[in-house]
Amino acid sequence: MKLVDRAAVERFKDLLEVERAAAASVSGLIPMATTPAMGRLFAKLRDDEAWSRAGLTRVIKHLGGKPSPDTGNLAQNVQAGPSLRERLGLLNRSQAWVVKRLDRILEEDLDRETGGFLRQMRSLHAENVHLCEELIMTLPLPVRTERSSRRT
């Protein structure tokens, strides 16, 4: 019987929850795409999130754990953003957090299959962070009303 590395399983469950939330966030952004290129980027993000979720599920099971059905609250926070720029910015900060988390995990002693998957996942997320940053820079800044610009 294989021993379960509970700490590793929990780290991967946390990542899986973030990936589920990111996928839900992207699903909410897809109808907001204003150009075909933006639509293709959002579809890429959605597909990459699905690939990451499937891989993390395999890793958790490989480690002897059971994936939870939980989802983080990122999607609600993203949807609450007042503009596409702000929504995409929040999603992108979450994706950058995943890259940093993966960097730390990749410093650990991992089996070849898990390490290979996580390096590929990290690469996809880093690429998506860059692509989203480029898109964010093209989106209009939110309009501030006098009320929202006053200091309290």
Side-chain angles (χ1 to χ4, degrees), residues 19 43-53 124-125 128:
E19 293 301 294
K44 177 188 181 330
L45 295 173
R46 179 199 59 217
D47 295 347
D48 290 349
E49 294 301 328
W51 179 85
S52 295
R53 289 189 329 264
L124 283 173
H125 278 68
N128 289 341

Side-chain angles (χ1 to χ4, degrees), residues 30-45:
I30 288 174
M32 299 179 76
T34 57
T35 66
M38 190 183 299
R40 286 189 298 274
L41 173 59
F42 291 167
K44 177 188 181 330
L45 295 173

Side-chain angles (χ1 to χ4, degrees), residues 40-146:
R40 286 189 298 274
L41 173 59
F42 291 167
K44 177 188 181 330
L45 295 173
R46 179 199 59 217
D47 295 347
D48 290 349
E49 294 301 328
W51 179 85
S52 295
R53 289 189 329 264
L56 287 168
T57 298
R58 283 192 306 275
V59 168
I60 291 166
K61 289 178 179 178
H62 172 73
L63 294 172
K66 181 180 177 190
S68 74
D70 297 338
T71 300
N73 63 357
L74 176 66
Q76 294 92 351
N77 294 338
V78 167
Q79 292 309 313
S83 71
L84 177 59
R85 181 185 180 111
E86 290 168 318
R87 290 175 181 193
L88 190 56
L90 179 57
L91 174 64
N92 211 36
R93 286 190 296 278
S94 172
Q95 296 304 285
W97 176 88
V98 169
V99 170
K100 290 177 187 174
R101 175 65 68 95
L102 289 171
D103 285 341
R104 287 195 308 263
I105 293 172
L106 285 166
E107 292 174 357
E108 299 173 13
D109 185 27
L110 303 167
D111 65 82
R112 194 173 70 120
E113 184 179 335
T114 300
F117 162 72
L118 293 176
R119 281 188 291 281
Q120 192 172 359
M121 182 178 164
R122 189 220 179 271
S123 177
L124 283 173
H125 278 68
E127 175 187 14
N128 289 341
V129 166
H130 174 74
L131 293 171
C132 287
E133 285 174 354
E134 287 182 340
L135 175 58
I136 289 167
M137 297 309 295
T138 69
L139 297 173
L141 292 170
V143 176
R144 301 285 182 202
T145 64
E146 186 166 328

